[in-house]
Amino acid sequence: MKTGIISLFTNETERSTGVENELKKKLTARGYEVVEGFHEDAELLICIGGDGAFLRTMHRCGIPETPIVGINTGHLGFFQEVWPEDFDVFLEDYELGNYTIQKLGTVMGIATTADGKKDTHIGLNELAVTGSKSYSIHLDLSIGGKPIEKFSGDGILVATSAGSTAYNYSLGGSIVDPRLNALQVTPLAPMNTTAFRSFTSSIMLPSDLTLGIVPEESDKVIYIHNDGIETAYSNLKEIEVRTSEKCVNLIRFSDYDFWSKVKDKFL
Ligand code: NAP
Ligand code: MN
């Protein structure tokens, strides 16, 4: 949908604000209507910042389907595609249609509390379930409705493929090519003693299986984290985690290569 409306977002750092002003001028001169914040009829969303800014923009807009491009003023952006100095080239390629859309899947957790209330949490990177730092938690895990293990430790993290290079990687999880639509379940400090047994490696799940999580003790506070957003529960009964139908449509140019980004960031 080409409407001529472009929504701009920035993480408000000095550098990003400078870039935003410059982009606004260029886009207006080109005939676009530039709007700060989300506009339903926008043909394109532009997010200026790092990966964290990208995640916050997506959540603020309710994970919209509108194509989005990230202008990188952060570190090495996995989501962010264009350096500010390449913005003119970007605009040209964009107008000529010289780009592809990378569809990124999301993970969804439906939390049910003891009083029957249900909340949905969506993650573009991940969804994590943890206790407080001062105690271990015990979680009954099932896959596709079949009991798999009683987890004991700090918690578990369920990463999307795009999120595999974030928190998941710091926990020793695998890097997954975002073309694979799968979920990776990675333990956080699993306990393995004669009293407690948990998997110590990540588990990969296909996109159509649900991971069930039931906390053993309902009286402990349990946190759900999605992309750095934290929700505390004191009466959590269960969480069902699976891939969600929401997808992010990320604009990528011909030189985009996931594995080159991985090499640049980690090696
Ligand atoms: P943050 O704590 O400020 O940043 C965490 C780092 O992760 C930043 O360098 C961020 O990049 C980077 N990052 C975010 N998404 C990424 C991805 N898909 N692949 C590779 N790196 C990625 O928090 P934030 O910036 O708001 O980002 C939220 C994310 O932080 C969460 O979704 C979680 O994955 C991650 N996190 C990581 C750890 C850890 O590694 N121990 C702990 C908690 C949370 P930018 O610098 O470009 O923003
Ligand atoms: Mn950040």
Side-chain angles (χ1 to χ4, degrees):
M1 183 187 59
K2 298 272 172 184
T3 57
I5 302 172
I6 293 185
S7 282
L8 270 190
F9 301 86
T10 150
N11 62 355
E12 315 266 318
T13 63
E14 209 179 316
R15 171 146 163 75
S16 296
T17 313
V19 170
E20 184 191 24
N21 290 334
E22 214 176 290
L23 262 53
K24 235 191 249 167
K25 274 189 217 139
K26 288 186 176 174
L27 289 165
T28 312
R30 230 25 191 235
Y32 291 99
E33 183 188 334
V34 180
V35 179
E36 266 184 58
F38 188 64
H39 191 297
E40 262 192 11
D41 297 326
E43 65 174 66
L44 176 69
L45 314 180
I46 297 181
C47 171
I48 305 160
D51 284 328
F54 181 87
L55 292 168
R56 280 184 287 281
T57 296
M58 287 290 88
H59 282 282
R60 202 183 314 149
C61 302
I63 325 260
E65 283 179 9
T66 320
I68 175 156
V69 70
I71 311 293
N72 198 1
T73 57
H75 305 114
L76 182 113
F78 268 87
F79 297 114
Q80 304 302 76
E81 177 71 354
V82 179
W83 292 104
E85 50 274 25
D86 297 332
F87 188 72
D88 293 330
V89 185
F90 154 75
L91 250 187
E92 226 159 87
D93 279 340
Y94 173 70
E95 289 177 351
L96 291 169
N98 289 339
Y99 60 85
T100 54
I101 298 276
Q102 180 183 34
K103 271 199 181 295
L104 296 180
T106 54
V107 56
M108 169 175 81
I110 301 169
T112 308
T113 51
D115 52 10
K117 235 181 107 254
K118 281 185 197 286
D119 283 337
T120 302
H121 304 273
I122 294 197
L124 187 51
N125 270 345
E126 79 275 298
L127 201 121
V129 178
T130 70
S132 123
K133 285 186 182 65
S134 50
Y135 52 75
S136 63
I137 53 169
H138 308 281
L139 306 169
D140 285 318
L141 303 185
S142 62
I143 295 176
K146 308 262 192 320
I148 178 89
E149 68 166 351
K150 181 186 293 296
F151 171 88
S152 297
D154 284 2
I156 59 154
L157 181 138
V158 186
T160 62
S161 298
S164 67
T165 46
Y167 198 177
N168 173 73
Y169 186 66
S170 308
L171 294 168
S174 293
I175 298 176
V176 182
D177 191 307
R179 283 167 285 204
L180 289 176
N181 187 17
L183 292 179
Q184 181 170 182
V185 184
T186 297
L188 280 85
M191 291 160 75
N192 274 290
T193 61
T194 46
F196 303 113
R197 288 262 145 237
S198 314
F199 284 122
T200 52
S201 75
S202 299
I203 302 172
M204 295 295 304
L205 297 182
S207 57
D208 59 350
L209 271 185
T210 297
L211 175 76
I213 303 172
V214 176
E216 191 178 61
E217 305 114 310
S218 55
D219 53 332
K220 279 187 179 170
V221 175
I222 302 268
Y223 297 87
I224 297 183
H225 314 253
N226 53 327
D227 300 342
I229 305 162
E230 183 180 292
T231 311
Y233 287 92
S234 53
N235 58 349
L236 192 64
K237 203 171 123 210
E238 67 167 331
I239 312 162
E240 278 185 11
V241 184
R242 55 173 180 265
T243 51
S244 123
E245 273 168 12
K246 289 207 180 218
C247 277
V248 168
N249 291 303
L250 206 50
I251 291 198
R252 296 296 195 185
F253 295 92
S254 54
D255 59 349
Y256 168 74
D257 178 49
F258 173 73
W259 291 102
S260 305
K261 283 208 173 187
V262 170
K263 181 169 176 278
D264 287 349
K265 169 124 177 172
F266 296 115
L267 299 179

